Amino acid sequence: MLGGALGAGVAKAMEIVVALGNIYGAADLVALSSAHVSGVSYKNIGQAGLDFLEEWVAEGARVRCFTTLNPAGMDTEDWQHSDMQTEPAFAAQQIRILNAFRDLGIDNIVTCTPYYVNNEPKRGDHVAFSESSAVIYANSRLGAYTNREGGPSALAGAIVGRTARYGFHLDENRRADVVISVKAKLPDTTAFGVLGFLAGKLLQNRTPLFVGIEQQMSSEDHKMMGGAMAAAGGVALYHVSGQTPEATAQDDSIIAPHAEYITIDNLADGYKALGIKAGATPIDLVNFGCPHVSLNEMREIADRLAGRSIKARLWVMVAPHVAAAAAKEGISQRIRASGGELTLGACAIVAPMKQTGIRSVATDSAKGAFYHSSYNGLDIHVGNIAQCVEAAVTGMWLG
Ligand code: F3S
């Protein structure tokens, strides 16, 4: 591959994989069972990124393992009618990017929750994922092995079907550097996100073991906690005592000898830092789905809407496959009947937002709150699904 026998595109991909292996001292390569590639929105990668992808296609590159894509900067199924008000010039370039990925052999499954569609690695699988919330979910909740790849390195790995064996592909690098004793109350999934946000700030890129979380965490709890931890810090792996695959035993071999011990007593600082404000405030948008919603979350949103009409705008960001499953149960229809929109395959964070006129957002996601504020400069309110649905119905954040 490196010598060009399989074409210039494959050689370029292998050069990237080998260069990373050399930088990090990898002894060999390991076969990938799947990959997940970020860097899909035209807002993020721009013309240079598009040219790079089209050149790779022209050089004959094709993926060698099952690969999914991160969200785009617009609704990938129906951008013309979307409340995101995507401009045609942006859409044209976004479609070229999706076409280039399709020509690379990627099936245009566009979501940041690939594990809710059909890219759910098993324990011990080696994968190359490059969406930080999907990386941390695969490593931590699923017990798969992935480094925190960039978009080009995940794609290069997919094209050669291998990655360099270093970092989180090695068991000795997966032990906890920090033990976090959780004393804070965790009443809902949003609270897990706020815990992740606080932990990410403290950890930067270290690996924690959480102890003291008594309730059984759901997939959504892991998704929100990991997503916020990876966004606020650079965390790629965490363990939860008695719950994640590598921390189930009663022994402490998962803890590194040099580990630091800290306690998180409550979440008040996290909610405050994410933008809790006193008093009722009008809001423009309620945004669910950072990372993309599960079928369970869609069900809860529809149930809480209970047929009422909304006053604020409501976007539920979701993988097209999950939306299709929800439509079979009538859930998608119920959300739309209340005035909500399913934005399919889209991410509001990496979408152009100026033209929408939206200035204030309520969300159930600590990661979403953090990025809507830091990337898009929006006013933020964060609360659980029930609070956010009430905000959508009344048009007011009620605190
Ligand atoms: Fe997904 Fe965008 Fe949030 S990619 S995790 S919705 S920032």
Side-chain angles (χ1 to χ4, degrees):
M1 287 180 177
L2 196 56
L6 297 182
V10 175
K12 181 156 78 183
M14 191 53 111
E15 278 166 21
I16 293 171
V17 171
V18 168
L20 286 167
N22 285 334
I23 290 168
Y24 292 104
D28 62 357
L29 306 182
V30 60
L32 295 175
S33 57
S34 68
H36 180 75
V37 174
S38 65
V40 175
S41 169
Y42 183 65
K43 181 180 163 190
N44 274 9
I45 70 170
Q47 192 60 43
L50 171 56
D51 292 345
F52 181 75
L53 287 172
E54 289 183 341
E55 194 181 297
W56 230 345
V57 172
E59 290 168 344
R62 300 292 178 270
V63 294
R64 277 185 168 66
C65 64
F66 180 62
T67 304
T68 45
L69 287 182
N70 228 32
M74 65 180 197
D75 187 314
T76 53
E77 308 277 308
D78 190 11
W79 65 269
Q80 290 95 333
H81 299 104
S82 167
D83 189 30
M84 296 182 111
Q85 299 170 18
T86 308
E87 286 169 359
F90 181 91
Q93 298 306 79
Q94 185 63 80
I95 290 165
R96 273 178 68 183
I97 291 171
L98 292 169
N99 287 346
F101 279 119
R102 184 202 56 209
D103 293 345
L104 286 165
I106 301 175
D107 221 5
N108 279 198
I109 295 172
V110 190
T111 181
C112 44
T113 51
Y115 41 88
Y116 286 159
V117 289
N118 43 8
N119 192 356
E120 184 180 22
K122 293 189 290 302
R123 185 174 182 190
D125 281 354
H126 291 269
V127 299
F129 275 23
S130 62
E131 151 61 36
S132 67
S133 68
V135 166
I136 196 168
Y137 190 95
N139 270 330
S140 313
R141 158 99 165 158
L142 303 177
Y145 293 70
T146 179
N147 283 320
R148 196 171 150 137
E149 303 285 351
S153 69
L155 184 53
I159 289 167
V160 299
R162 295 158 174 83
T163 193
R165 198 193 305 261
Y166 67 92
F168 291 104
H169 291 283
L170 298 169
D171 284 326
E172 62 262 33
N173 296 330
R174 297 175 66 88
R175 292 197 294 175
D177 308 301
V178 182
V179 179
I180 301 181
S181 175
V182 180
K183 306 261 194 256
K185 290 199 170 49
L186 297 162
D188 50 39
T189 295
T190 300
F192 277 96
V194 177
L195 173 64
F197 171 76
L198 281 174
K201 292 259 180 225
L202 291 167
L203 293 162
Q204 294 306 314
N205 61 0
R206 294 179 294 169
T207 296
L209 167 69
F210 290 93
V211 297
I213 297 178
E214 277 158 21
Q215 69 260 52
Q216 193 61 38
M217 290 175 66
S218 65
S219 160
E220 290 81 6
D221 295 337
H222 281 286
K223 176 181 72 170
M224 289 299 198
M225 184 168 93
M229 213 182 315
V235 183
L237 166 67
Y238 63 83
H239 305 287
V240 180
S241 182
Q243 301 209 36
T244 51
E246 290 158 86
T248 46
Q250 290 305 329
D251 71 66
D252 54 9
S253 59
I254 196 75
I255 303 172
H258 59 266
E260 184 189 342
Y261 289 74
I262 57 179
T263 300
I264 294 182
D265 286 315
N266 66 73
L267 304 181
D269 286 349
Y271 280 104
K272 205 168 147 201
L274 286 168
I276 282 282
K277 293 184 184 67
T281 327
I283 52 147
D284 299 324
L285 171 72
V286 172
N287 190 197
F288 292 113
C290 177
H292 280 178
V293 289
S294 66
L295 197 51
N296 280 339
E297 288 168 315
M298 286 190 75
R299 204 174 280 127
E300 182 177 350
I301 294 163
D303 287 349
R304 290 193 181 279
L305 282 167
R308 295 175 291 171
S309 295
I310 54 172
K311 288 210 175 87
R313 294 152 85 171
L314 170 64
W315 296 354
V316 180
M317 304 189 296
V318 59
H321 289 55
V322 173
K328 284 197 185 129
E329 288 184 35
I331 297 169
S332 303
Q333 297 85 328
R334 283 160 57 206
I335 294 172
R336 287 182 174 128
S338 288
E341 172 162 324
L342 307 185
T343 58
L344 302 174
C347 165
I349 310 289
V350 299
M353 289 288 282
K354 264 202 188 118
Q355 76 281 2
T356 63
I358 289 164
R359 294 284 166 268
S360 58
V361 177
T363 176
D364 64 331
S365 160
K367 173 176 179 175
F370 179 57
Y371 279 155
H372 266 313
S373 159
S374 56
Y375 273 22
N376 293 329
L378 303 178
D379 271 355
I380 298 298
H381 306 275
V382 61
N384 59 27
I385 291 182
Q387 289 171 294
C388 288
V389 166
E390 287 316 302
V393 169
T394 60
M396 300 289 289
W397 184 255
L398 303 172

